[in-house]
Every structure is written in C-alpha cells, then in structure tokens.
Amino acid sequence: PKKIQSQQFGSLWLANLVEKEFDIAGLIDRVVGSSREEKKPSVGEYFLYAIYNRMIDACSKRAMPDWYKQTAIQHIRPVKAEALTSQLFWQKWDKVEREQLEQVSREFLREISQAFPASADCFMFDTTNYYTFMASETKSDLAQRGKNKEGSNWLRQVGVALLVSRDTRLPLYYREYEGNRHDSKVFLQVTDELFTAMRESTGQEAGGLTVVFDKGMNSEDNIAAIDARSDIHFITTYSPYYCDELVHVDRSLFRPVDTAKNQVFTEKKREEDRLTAWQTEGEFWGKKRTVVVTYNPLTATKQRFGFEKKLLRLQEELFTFQGKVNKGAPHWRKKTTIEQRYADLCSELYLPADLYKVELSRIDDKLSMNFKKNHYRIGRYIDRFGKNIIVTDQDDWSTDEIVQACLDRWMVEDSFRQSKDEETISLRPIRHWTDTKIRCHIFTCIAALALLRVIEIRLKKAGLNITAKSAMKSMHNLQSCLVWLPGKRKAERMLEEPDETQAKILRAFGWEISSGVLREKKL
C-alpha cells in the first residue's frame, strides 16, 4: 500500500446500528419541522451525532469535530465534521421549543418501551441533580442552587426525575426540573405523566401497577394522589428516626429474606450476614399500611465503625472544651456560648446532642465543665444501625416480594450512576448556558442511556452478559482502514480482524467480518 489511514469504527457502527431501529433524527425533524432550504445536517441529525458521541466517548461540542475526524463516520453516516461546531449546535438547538422536545422524548421512549414491553408490573422512580458551572448572573430557571447530592451546594444545579422498568431497566420517562425544587414536589407535579408511561409500557389498560420510590418523595399529597387511583400502588422507605417503636423491636422476630445475596451467604456458611426482615402493620398517611422492617448486619457493622470514629472525635473535642472552660480561657466563659459550640459540633458530625451529658456549673463565680457518656442514648442510637423501614399499600404481597422490590431500586440508581460516568453519557457537569440547550443536552444523554440499555438487552439475549460500556470499549478498538494500493485511484476499506469478544458482539447482532469485509450473516 502507498498509504494507510486507520479510523475508529466498531463502537460508532454499533451505535448507528441500534439507533436505526428508532430513527431519532427522523422523529425530531418530523416534530420540529425542517425546510428544503435548510442546510444539512438537520436539527435531528445534530441531536443524533451528539447522542453517538455520548454513547461512545463523551466530549464537549467544541471538541466534537476533531473527535469525529478520527472515526469512520463518512462510511457509517456521512457528515462534514466541520459542520459539527459548537456554534452550529447552538443555532440548531435554539429552534427546538420545550413542548416539541417533550413530545420527542415521549414518543422516543414510548417506541423503545413498545419494542421491549415490560412484563413486570413494578417500576422504579428516583431523582438526582447535576451541577453546572453557570455563573450567578446568568439567567436560568432550571439551574438553581440547592442541596446537591454530591456535596457541591455552592454550584447551581439542575434536577432530573427518572422512571425505569423493573424487568427491562429501560428508561420510560424523565423530566428535568429546577435545582432548588424538593423531590416530593416534583413527584406530585409529574404523577399523571408517570402513571401514563407505566401503563403504556405494559400495554395493559387495566390491572394494578406498583411504583417504588424512596423516602425523599414521601408527602401527604403524593400518597393521596396514589390512593386516589385504584390501579396504582406504592412501595416506599420511611425514616427510622420517626419510628422508634418499630426500630427497637426484638431482632429475634426477624427472619431471613429470600434474596440472591442471602442464598450466596448461606452457601458460604455466612448465615450471620444475611438480610432479615419483620412484617407488621401501622398507620401512615391516614391509613393502615403494610410495614416491613429490615436489618442488614453488614450495613450495621459499617455504620457502627463510622459512628465509633465520630464518637471518638466528639470525645476529643469535649476534652478540649473542658480544658479551655476550666482554665477560664477568653471566649470560653459564657455558658450559652459553650452550649452553642457543642450543638454546632454535633451538627457538624451529624450526631444527636444527647449522646453525652454536658454539665456546666459555676463554682466561686468561675465556669466549670464536666461531661460523661449517655450509655442509654448511645445504645438506642446504635440499635438503629442497619435498619430500614418499608411502607406499602400492597397488602397481598409477601415480605420477600416487598423487600426485593425495594432492593431493586438499584436499577434506577444505576442509571443515574451511568449518566454521571466521565467516559460515556457524562451528563454532568452541564456546560450549557440556556435552559433550551440544557434540555436538549439532557435529552441526548437520556437517549444515549436508553440505546446503551438496548445494546445490553440484545447482548444478553444472545448469551453475552456484559455491560454496554464494556461492549462499547471493546468495539472501540475495532478499526477500519483506508488502504491506497498502487495502480488504483480510490482507497479500499478493510476492517481489521475482530478479537474473540468483538466477534461475539458482532454475531449477537447478526453480523460478521470476513476477509476485512463486514457482512450480515445469513439465517
């Protein structure tokens, strides 16, 4: 060969193959509208190329032209890389109205759920937030300061609510919202859309459906909205701090739960590590509900370890307090000041103030301090460790079924973890400065998340139990080569020989590489 040019091929080809089933670009162009005079790429294609990038190797819009130049995009879905500049992205995305984007996301997720209908009647709902680096003076309704789940409370953030199916783990519904809005208010705002998405994903017009969420969504109004619908049930967690009578029940009443992890513990002769549960009834939100209290020994051990470290720190600080008070040090002579400092210290350590009895008294007009452990309060506090309270209106479900449904909330939490991955999807930090662009960016990330999950489902059906991220990383190394041979004007394209994993992924989708050529396998 006179010249060889190597290009990234496998992961981009796989992303394009899966997306063609749903035609995101065509859906967006149909909803937003496009004229013949409009220069290519279309609005829908700008979304599409952003989605491909999020599925494979997420980068900024500014870096996207250079990223695409390293790929075989001209062979897979031709586009001028120079047209994928950040400025042109903003121009195209500015044409998309909020209502249009909501219609697009609704139709896209509905189409995916119809391709992989949910067979289970249980769904997982949760919320999270994504920080931005948006300046305070930049106008935005979405980006607001609030309690950030990663501790970046000083940054403006955007919230996202997400619903996933329990069996397919596909996203069925999402909604972005203001970063300072409480989770429980978001839930009430989206209940109708949420329940509609649940119903459409099963294809059933009747029959009970169950939504699982955590205690952050609990409120009188939210539970009342569910109670008002006979076809919708709920499973939620409840804070042990408000249920002392349930938390301090004798653990001899608890029984092991039938879970996969417990079965492993039994096989390994580690019965003492098994998750246990106790079922009862209680009045919550004005009605009698089924209540399950669970106890996880491993979680209790971890919490006890962390608690002992905090308690030691509290004791060390109290000795420091005592020394300064008893010596009459400046600024340590007022009782109210010492009490406030102790309260602030407990708040900093996230500990209650009654774990120690602090005594401040005056002797000969001099302030004196003594302290001692409140063993009763410490014992009661430790008794909460590893405990979790589950509340549901599913009266006919067994304890095992209720606990397993609550444990399966990891599915929606895992979707959020994927969305925050730095390599694929990478929804945060959000580097967009208008609400329109933020909404468009979030849609591209949710669409990438959904398509990656489709890849996982297809691979699993073919007997390959690997994550979409692993599959993409493996296919990323499958190169396409342009070869210029002597005596020929045009370059010939050849694919390198796939390794074992790449060959299995190709076969899972009905393709193979033979003599450097990609071919669809004959059935």
Side-chain angles (χ1 to χ4, degrees):
K2 294 189 296 182
K3 186 170 65 171
I4 297 176
Q5 182 183 14
S6 177
Q7 298 173 329
Q8 296 171 15
F9 176 83
S11 52
L12 187 58
W13 170 84
L14 184 56
N16 182 70
L17 180 71
V18 174
E19 186 279 331
K20 282 197 296 187
E21 299 178 42
F22 307 101
D23 189 17
I24 297 175
L27 169 62
I28 294 172
D29 288 336
R30 186 171 69 252
V31 172
V32 177
S34 58
S35 61
R36 292 181 178 178
E37 293 78 21
E38 185 179 21
K39 291 184 178 180
K40 290 287 186 178
S42 67
V43 175
E45 286 173 321
Y46 272 96
F47 276 92
L48 183 66
Y49 292 119
I51 291 169
Y52 287 166
N53 176 253
R54 294 282 138 187
M55 292 176 68
I56 301 166
D57 187 15
C59 67
S60 67
K61 301 298 182 295
R62 182 175 295 177
M64 201 174 292
D66 289 336
W67 182 81
Y68 266 111
K69 287 176 182 177
Q70 300 172 26
T71 72
I73 187 63
Q74 306 305 337
H75 179 61
I76 296 168
R77 183 152 184 153
V79 64
K80 290 183 178 180
E82 295 77 11
L84 300 178
T85 63
S86 55
Q87 291 83 359
L88 290 172
F89 262 101
W90 310 151
Q91 290 176 18
K92 295 285 185 174
W93 281 8
D94 275 339
K95 296 181 179 181
V96 184
E97 301 291 337
R98 178 180 177 179
E99 294 76 14
Q100 292 174 329
L101 191 60
E102 288 179 358
Q103 181 183 344
V104 167
S105 66
R106 191 166 53 247
E107 291 188 19
F108 168 65
L109 293 178
R110 184 191 300 133
E111 189 175 350
I112 281 191
S113 69
Q114 289 173 351
F116 303 92
S119 57
D121 57 1
C122 194
F123 302 85
M124 311 296 147
F125 179 81
D126 204 356
T127 61
T128 193
N129 43 51
Y130 303 89
Y131 61 79
T132 77
F133 294 120
M134 188 180 292
S136 298
E137 61 271 16
T138 304
K139 291 183 179 180
S140 172
D141 293 329
L142 283 175
Q144 301 290 337
R145 286 183 177 85
K147 186 176 180 181
N148 185 264
K149 297 189 179 181
E150 295 170 78
S152 303
N153 297 329
W154 63 93
L155 296 175
R156 296 172 74 176
Q157 64 184 18
V158 178
V160 173
L162 182 67
L163 176 77
V164 303
S165 170
R166 184 185 188 183
D167 56 350
T168 65
R169 289 169 50 198
L170 282 166
L172 303 175
Y173 170 83
Y174 82 93
R175 180 63 60 235
E176 70 285 337
Y177 60 92
E178 299 85 349
N180 59 355
R181 180 170 295 193
H182 194 274
D183 294 348
S184 62
K185 294 183 178 180
V186 174
F187 185 89
L188 186 62
Q189 182 185 12
V190 303
T191 47
D192 288 341
E193 296 174 356
L194 203 65
F195 300 154
T196 298
M198 290 164 58
R199 181 69 60 205
E200 288 178 348
S201 71
T202 61
Q204 304 176 35
E205 295 184 3
L209 302 176
T210 303
V211 58
V212 183
F213 48 86
D214 71 3
K215 55 183 174 289
M217 256 61 74
N218 293 345
S219 74
E220 294 281 351
D221 291 339
N222 290 346
I223 303 301
I226 297 175
D227 286 341
R229 301 192 57 156
S230 59
D231 60 335
I232 302 294
H233 302 281
F234 73 90
I235 296 176
T236 185
T237 53
Y238 200 85
S239 176
Y241 291 96
Y242 302 113
C243 297
D244 264 8
E245 71 282 2
L246 294 174
V247 170
H248 301 300
V249 168
D250 189 343
R251 286 216 304 271
S252 65
L253 298 172
F254 288 59
R255 296 290 179 265
V257 182
D258 184 15
T259 66
K261 186 172 284 189
N262 272 2
Q263 291 171 12
V264 173
F265 286 146
T266 301
E267 292 170 3
K268 293 182 176 181
K269 307 298 183 185
R270 293 172 53 187
E271 287 84 356
E272 69 279 2
D273 291 335
R274 292 180 299 181
L275 176 72
T276 58
W278 169 66
Q279 182 171 326
T280 183
E281 288 184 339
E283 186 166 316
F284 291 82
W285 303 292
K287 287 187 178 183
K288 188 172 286 188
R289 316 281 185 179
T290 298
V291 181
V292 175
V293 184
T294 64
Y295 174 69
N296 189 324
L298 296 180
T299 301
T301 301
K302 290 177 183 177
Q303 291 176 338
R304 178 70 179 266
F305 179 73
F307 171 71
E308 295 291 352
K309 289 176 65 177
K310 289 183 179 180
L311 202 62
L312 182 61
R313 161 88 186 280
L314 182 61
Q315 180 179 280
E316 290 172 348
E317 292 291 339
L318 282 172
F319 275 121
T320 302
F321 282 20
Q322 185 184 45
K324 291 182 178 180
V325 171
N326 294 345
K327 288 180 180 179
H331 310 297
W332 290 85
R333 299 169 185 171
K334 291 180 66 176
K335 181 179 180 181
T336 54
T337 301
I338 310 306
E339 290 173 340
Q340 185 58 52
R341 284 176 177 167
Y342 175 63
D344 292 342
L345 175 61
C346 291
S347 177
E348 179 187 338
L349 295 172
Y350 297 98
L351 291 175
D354 60 358
L355 301 182
Y356 273 87
K357 291 181 180 178
V358 179
E359 298 174 350
L360 293 163
S361 58
R362 289 198 173 273
I363 302 174
D364 298 332
D365 201 33
K366 182 181 177 182
L367 191 64
S368 176
M369 175 180 166
N370 286 301
F371 64 92
K372 61 181 178 179
K373 284 184 178 180
N374 187 336
H375 292 284
Y376 173 76
R377 298 309 308 172
I378 289 174
R380 299 282 285 183
Y381 189 81
I382 289 173
D383 199 31
R384 292 194 181 103
F385 293 166
K387 303 282 183 63
N388 191 32
I389 296 174
I390 306 170
V391 183
T392 179
D393 63 346
Q394 281 286 18
D395 301 331
D396 55 346
W397 281 28
S398 68
T399 301
D400 290 348
E401 289 173 325
I402 294 169
V403 173
Q404 189 59 61
C406 192
L407 291 174
D408 285 344
R409 274 197 309 110
W410 71 267
M411 297 176 182
V412 64
E413 293 167 354
D414 185 61
S415 294
F416 283 136
R417 278 191 291 272
Q418 290 182 54
S419 71
K420 295 178 181 181
D421 188 283
E422 293 182 357
E423 295 178 4
T424 56
I425 302 179
S426 189
L427 201 156
R428 65 99 171 93
I430 299 175
R431 302 181 186 274
H432 301 263
W433 316 118
T434 68
D435 287 351
T436 298
K437 298 179 183 69
I438 289 172
R439 289 190 175 96
C440 291
H441 170 67
I442 292 174
F443 170 74
T444 62
C445 293
I446 297 296
L449 180 69
L451 293 175
L452 287 172
R453 181 56 194 153
V454 169
I455 290 173
E456 286 181 343
I457 293 173
R458 289 278 163 77
L459 292 174
K460 186 175 182 180
K461 189 177 180 181
L464 278 177
N465 288 317
I466 60 175
T467 65
K469 182 178 179 179
S470 297
M472 281 297 190
K473 189 169 287 188
S474 176
M475 293 295 285
H476 189 70
N477 296 322
L478 182 61
Q479 303 290 312
S480 168
C481 293
L482 288 174
V483 182
W484 283 264
L485 296 171
K488 293 191 176 182
R489 298 176 116 187
K490 291 185 178 180
E492 293 185 9
R493 183 177 295 277
M494 292 184 67
L495 301 180
E496 67 176 350
E497 283 298 305
D499 61 27
E500 185 178 349
T501 302
Q502 292 165 348
K504 287 180 179 178
I505 294 171
L506 288 166
R507 283 198 297 270
F509 287 88
W511 292 80
E512 64 181 357
I513 294 176
S514 178
S515 301
V517 178
L518 182 67
R519 293 187 176 93
E520 195 167 4
K521 292 184 69 176
K522 296 180 180 179
L523 298 176

